[in-house]
Amino acid sequence: MGDWRDNLPPVRGKLLHDQPLAPYTWFRVGGPADVLFIPADEDDLAAFLKALPEEVPVTFMGVGSNMIVRDGGIEGVTIRLMGGYWGKVEPAGPNSLFARAGALDLSVAKAAAKAGLAGLSFFSGIPGTIGGAVRTNAGCYGRELKDVANQIEGITRSGERVRFEADIAQYGDPKVEFSYRHTNFPDDIIVTGLLLTGSGAGDPEVLEKEIAEHQKRRAETQPIKERTGGSTFANPDPPGTPDQRSSWKLIDQAGCRGLRVGGALVSEKHCNFLINAGDATAADIEALGELVRARVLDVTGVDLRWEIRRIGRPQTV
């Protein structure tokens, strides 16, 4: 692509060359972005994408929770929607909130509680941002994003602004579909905001207690103080026997609790979590995940599906 980095479109946000990405991910691993772009707002992002040559690859990331950035870094432009503007959550009419893509899921739950809006507290149990939640139809405690997403706004790779109404309307063909920890939401769209609809009025104090209980439960059952990336593998879908309905049970059954590859470790506290024990590389973490998948397949016959997104280039020697 020649000297494409010397001829980037002007922006109002930040453009950083050869920017290390490890500090931006929860695993704290990974190589640099050729270019990291943090746009000021939707207009800044749309104008940049419209002017960026088509041959330059574009990758999107939020808070870097459910992802592994490989050690060779990311080719092209990495766009990160974080910061004050992208983290805003605001009331949007009866029973609704509008959250920009960089808003933490926990912030969405807290904003709903403060507004006395029930039905959104489950977001407090999901790591990451609301924009990232779209890609995996994130959920917990029996609810998923698709249950509350009323409208999704985004920008295409070519800089066109698009909106999906109510039942997640069509974008070309076929219709966008959400299923368990999966969506076929178009890859060329970066989510910029969501209109979320709750289940009606609720007592703010009750809702805040509900969030506190979710947080307490997470702290007791998950290694949230470690360098981790959230649940590594989706539960089998469709579910099998009772012993095959939870990924952690399958991983435990295969004897993987505490398994290590280099500086990467399967959590003793919750074995569907991988941990950077201090000196792991992205390659260590990904190799450990693949080893777990192989052992589970060999012992149980179940082929686990990665829930964590893995992006970028392997480290070259």
Side-chain angles (χ1 to χ4, degrees):
M1 290 183 287
D3 58 352
W4 65 272
R5 295 198 300 177
D6 297 327
N7 297 284
L8 291 171
V11 300
R12 289 180 289 110
K14 295 181 180 179
L15 277 175
L16 305 170
H17 288 214
D18 300 311
Q19 181 66 22
L21 292 176
Y24 296 108
T25 71
W26 286 18
F27 275 120
R28 296 294 188 266
V29 299
D34 287 350
V35 171
L36 178 66
F37 176 36
I38 304 175
D41 52 30
E42 290 90 347
D43 290 340
D44 194 28
L45 174 58
F48 177 83
L49 290 172
K50 190 170 292 186
L52 187 69
E54 290 184 6
E55 65 269 19
V56 178
V58 173
T59 301
F60 312 122
M61 68 180 293
V63 74
S65 55
N66 294 96
M67 68 162 44
I68 297 171
V69 174
R70 295 186 174 108
D71 299 306
I74 299 179
E75 182 182 7
V77 176
T78 300
I79 296 173
R80 189 171 190 259
L81 302 187
M82 293 299 297
Y85 176 83
W86 292 106
K88 290 183 179 179
V89 183
E90 303 167 327
N95 296 332
S96 296
L97 294 176
F98 183 80
R100 291 199 171 92
L104 294 174
D105 296 319
L106 176 58
S107 297
V108 172
K110 288 183 174 180
K114 184 177 180 180
L117 178 57
L120 300 176
S121 296
F122 74 96
F123 280 113
S124 62
I126 304 173
T129 61
I130 197 70
V134 172
R135 295 292 171 186
T136 59
N137 185 29
C140 64
Y141 308 130
R143 304 210 75 195
E144 299 174 312
L145 178 78
K146 71 179 180 64
D147 299 326
V148 297
N150 188 273
Q151 185 181 96
I152 300 175
E153 296 181 1
I155 298 175
T156 68
R157 170 61 180 84
S158 60
E160 178 189 1
R161 297 178 72 153
V162 293
R163 176 179 293 171
F164 300 82
E165 302 288 350
D167 61 347
I168 315 302
Q170 291 192 20
Y171 172 75
D173 187 32
K175 185 176 180 179
V176 175
E177 296 177 351
F178 287 76
S179 57
Y180 173 70
R181 299 298 179 268
H182 180 263
T183 173
N184 66 348
F185 197 81
D187 290 335
D188 72 330
I189 294 177
I190 180 169
V191 175
T192 56
L194 289 88
L195 182 67
L196 304 169
T197 300
S199 57
D203 184 327
E205 289 189 10
V206 172
L207 295 173
E208 287 169 4
K209 288 180 180 179
E210 197 173 295
I211 291 171
E213 283 299 315
H214 289 335
Q215 291 292 286
K216 180 182 178 182
R217 180 177 173 184
R218 282 192 69 214
E220 289 173 348
T221 60
Q222 301 175 8
I224 61 174
K225 294 184 179 180
E226 305 285 352
R227 295 180 178 183
T228 186
S231 294
T232 306
F233 304 107
N235 289 330
D237 183 39
T241 65
D243 287 339
Q244 294 183 336
R245 292 175 185 169
S246 297
S247 290
W248 77 264
K249 290 183 179 179
L250 295 166
I251 294 168
D252 212 15
Q253 185 180 343
C256 296
R257 188 182 294 267
L259 188 64
R260 180 187 286 267
V261 170
L265 181 72
V266 175
S267 171
E268 294 275 3
K269 191 171 190 177
H270 191 313
C271 56
N272 196 24
F273 283 69
L274 304 185
I275 293 171
N276 175 0
D279 59 351
T281 63
D284 289 341
I285 297 170
E286 190 167 8
L288 178 59
E290 288 300 325
L291 179 57
V292 168
R293 291 185 66 238
R295 290 197 178 184
V296 168
L297 181 61
D298 182 57
V299 173
T300 72
V302 176
D303 190 8
L304 291 178
R305 174 168 60 87
W306 281 91
E307 189 171 334
I308 286 179
R309 183 181 173 207
R310 296 158 294 147
I311 59 175
R313 303 168 289 210
Q315 180 69 57
T316 55
V317 178

